[in-house]
Amino acid sequence: MDEVREIVKNIKNGTLKPVYFLFGEEPYYIDAISSYIEKNVLAEEEKGFNQMVLYGKDVTVDDIVGNAKRYPMMAERQVVIVKEAQHLSRTIEQLTDYVNNPQPTTVLVICYKYKKLDKRKKLYKAVKANGVLFESKKLYENQVSEWIRKNLQSKGYGISHKAAILLTEFLGTDLSRINNELEKLQFVLPPKSEITPADIETHIGISKDYNNFELKKAIGERNVVKATRIINYFSQNPKDNPLVLTVSLLHTFFAQLLQYHGLRDHSPKSVASTLKISPFFVNEYQTAAKNYPMKKVSAIVAHLREIDVKGKGVGANSITQADLLKELLVKIF
């Protein structure tokens, strides 16, 4: 993310601001920036007296201000990092007066995860005027595979498109979790490697042949044999392949297919943009649309909702996951 790189670059060059307010739904970048400040702004011998980490659930805004107003000891500046500051959401506006007149020898970092700062309020305007305001936004699922590619590229690795999609399908949009798995791969694979689905299967444990990505593709192609084989594998490995995830992904697929049927422009660029999918997948929707007319897709969406309810134990306490998966396939085909 360019904004993150710019913030880190400025810190590295010694251009520090007195306040960094990091907020938003995606914790990965908030952690990345705060961690960089924690590790790099002060020398190791300065940290004992001049670096403090506070937690929002344990302090008040007055505590934060009191610590921020201290003078550094035998150092040019001090660093105060407030983690989990979202616990102070009811009183966070009380920080406004300090931000309007911050201690110039203090670097105050506020990690305000999973929440937004109201642009109409005084605190937002004060941070924008006197510090760094950074919103960490969640990536859409169709953006994650590109993020994986760029992340690995910056560290000297490559990854096949299918391998990136496999990680996204299995891990979702949680960038911290994805980054942890990528670090495992970098630990065992030599630099400049091209990561493949086989590498992911070997080192992370995600099957390259039996996963929701392949199931969705088989169903779209009306490949009953392959879909049944995958469903049987899921039935034998329920912990690694929870029903709720399978139903959720298929529901998204068929809801998008319903949207596809309603499009006037079926060009790859238009489909990818409207459905918010990678252009790589457009042909799958084109194939599925031929196999499932709009009326059939509507019925399948209804069936998926019914299976989802049963999977959560409503009116189907004695039905196993294996039986629900088989019922699902029968209703789709």
Side-chain angles (χ1 to χ4, degrees):
M1 198 172 184
D2 293 339
E3 194 177 352
V4 176
R5 291 195 193 97
E6 187 66 23
I7 291 170
V8 170
K9 180 183 174 183
N10 288 335
I11 295 169
K12 192 180 291 186
N13 293 337
T15 307
L16 286 154
K17 294 289 186 178
V19 179
Y20 290 82
F21 201 104
L22 317 173
F23 68 100
E25 293 295 324
E26 178 49 70
Y28 176 79
Y29 290 114
I30 295 173
D31 289 338
I33 295 170
S34 63
S35 178
Y36 185 84
I37 292 173
E38 188 174 351
K39 290 175 182 176
N40 295 284
V41 168
L42 297 179
E44 284 302 320
E45 63 271 16
E46 296 175 328
K47 290 179 181 178
F49 290 112
N50 298 292
Q51 185 155 286
M52 184 170 294
V53 177
L54 308 173
Y55 289 86
K57 63 182 178 180
D58 300 323
V59 297
T60 65
V61 171
D62 286 341
D63 294 331
I64 295 168
V65 172
N67 281 288
K69 284 184 174 180
R70 288 173 55 240
Y71 288 97
M73 292 181 65
M74 297 175 288
E76 185 181 344
R77 60 176 60 90
Q78 69 159 349
V79 174
V80 179
I81 300 173
V82 186
K83 298 186 177 182
E84 311 297 338
Q86 65 271 15
H87 290 287
L88 296 166
S89 60
R90 293 182 180 179
T91 56
I92 198 68
E93 282 294 320
Q94 294 173 14
L95 201 57
T96 304
D97 287 342
Y98 173 81
V99 176
N100 277 324
N101 187 27
Q103 176 70 276
T105 54
T106 294
V107 176
L108 175 62
V109 183
I110 307 293
C111 304
Y112 198 69
K113 295 178 180 178
Y114 313 113
K115 288 185 177 290
K116 288 194 173 185
L117 197 59
D118 194 330
K119 294 181 180 181
R120 300 166 297 178
K121 296 290 183 70
K122 292 179 180 179
L123 179 57
Y124 183 96
K125 295 172 183 176
V127 178
K128 196 167 185 180
N130 300 299
V132 171
L133 195 64
F134 171 72
E135 181 176 2
S136 187
K137 296 179 180 178
K138 273 278 186 191
L139 294 185
Y140 292 113
E141 190 170 323
N142 64 313
Q143 297 173 311
V144 175
S145 60
E146 180 63 12
W147 181 89
I148 291 171
R149 189 189 66 77
K150 287 183 176 178
N151 180 294
L152 289 169
Q153 188 180 51
S154 69
K155 296 169 183 175
Y157 288 82
I159 187 168
S160 72
H161 191 84
K162 185 175 179 181
I165 295 298
L166 188 59
L167 279 172
T168 305
E169 288 281 337
F170 191 79
L171 301 173
T173 60
D174 186 335
L175 299 188
S176 297
R177 189 180 175 200
I178 292 171
N179 188 63
N180 288 340
E181 298 300 336
L182 294 180
E183 286 180 349
K184 289 180 189 176
L185 290 170
Q186 292 162 52
F187 182 75
V188 296
L189 298 174
K192 298 184 180 179
S193 296
E194 173 87 3
I195 296 169
T196 66
D199 292 325
I200 291 172
E201 182 171 38
T202 302
H203 301 296
I204 297 180
I206 306 170
S207 172
K208 62 183 175 62
D209 297 314
Y210 300 100
N211 56 70
N212 285 305
F213 170 68
E214 292 295 335
L215 176 63
K216 182 178 69 174
K217 187 177 179 182
I219 288 174
E221 295 170 350
R222 289 193 74 87
N223 188 333
V224 179
V225 173
K226 184 178 178 181
T228 302
R229 196 160 52 233
I230 295 171
I231 286 292
N232 288 337
Y233 178 85
F234 284 6
S235 300
Q236 293 162 14
N237 301 274
K239 288 185 179 179
D240 294 329
N241 303 279
L243 177 68
V244 65
L245 181 59
T246 299
V247 172
S248 174
L249 289 171
L250 289 177
H251 183 274
T252 298
F253 174 65
F254 279 103
Q256 288 173 323
L257 190 57
L258 197 61
Q259 193 177 2
Y260 176 92
H261 275 298
L263 293 176
R264 290 184 178 180
D265 183 359
H266 286 122
S267 65
K269 186 177 179 181
S270 173
V271 172
S273 174
T274 306
L275 301 188
K276 291 185 170 59
I277 60 172
S278 166
F280 179 81
F281 288 118
V282 170
N283 65 329
E284 289 188 16
Y285 287 83
Q286 291 169 338
T287 300
K290 293 174 185 176
N291 290 325
Y292 301 94
M294 183 179 279
K295 189 174 180 181
K296 175 63 176 174
V297 174
S298 297
I300 290 172
V301 170
H303 291 321
L304 284 163
R305 288 175 180 163
E306 182 185 331
I307 294 291
D308 182 51
V309 170
K310 286 183 179 179
K312 292 170 181 172
V314 180
N317 291 327
S318 60
I319 301 179
T320 65
Q321 177 170 317
D323 288 337
L324 284 172
L325 285 168
K326 289 172 186 174
E327 181 182 340
L328 175 63
L329 271 197
V330 168
K331 289 190 172 180
I332 288 176
F333 287 135

